Amino acid sequence: MMKKYVNAKQILPQHLIEEIQKYVEGAHLYIPQKGRKSWGSANGSREQLEKRNMEIQFLFRQQGVSIIELAARFGLSEERIRSILYDK
């Protein structure tokens, strides 16, 4: 989701605006968040995908389930299954 732009005059002191204008004037400037969390860490998505990938690896290596069957079972392409199996 794209955040709404804020006019610097509304939130920054004039001396700071003048200092920034020495480097950038009239352009949009993005200031990143401090301490941003990595993707999926806030809502558990990363953990769910890691768990799914471990299950895929287990089924393939320990149970002998084929790549075609894993793709169908997990709703993924055969290429994606291969990347999960061979990238780690």
Side-chain angles (χ1 to χ4, degrees):
M1 170 181 10
M2 186 109 171
K3 293 186 178 183
K4 183 179 167 185
Y5 286 103
V6 177
N7 189 321
K9 290 181 182 180
Q10 294 174 338
I11 58 172
L12 298 176
Q14 185 61 34
H15 73 277
L16 185 53
I17 292 172
E18 291 170 6
E19 187 65 27
I20 293 170
Q21 285 173 330
K22 291 178 184 177
Y23 302 93
V24 179
E25 189 170 352
H28 294 284
L29 179 65
Y30 172 74
I31 301 174
Q33 296 176 352
K34 287 174 65 175
R36 186 172 180 178
K37 293 181 180 179
S38 63
W39 177 88
S41 63
N43 64 7
S45 296
R46 179 178 299 272
E47 187 176 285
Q48 289 174 353
L49 288 178
E50 288 175 0
K51 183 178 177 184
R52 179 205 67 190
N53 293 350
M54 288 174 59
E55 182 179 358
I56 288 170
Q57 291 173 352
F58 172 80
L59 290 170
F60 181 76
R61 293 191 174 105
Q62 304 297 321
Q63 304 293 318
V65 178
S66 72
I67 290 174
I68 294 170
E69 188 177 338
L70 289 169
R73 186 182 297 189
F74 289 93
L76 300 171
S77 70
E78 292 177 33
E79 277 186 45
R80 181 66 188 125
I81 295 292
R82 282 187 191 91
S83 72
I84 291 168
L85 294 172
Y86 302 124
D87 280 351
K88 295 193 175 195

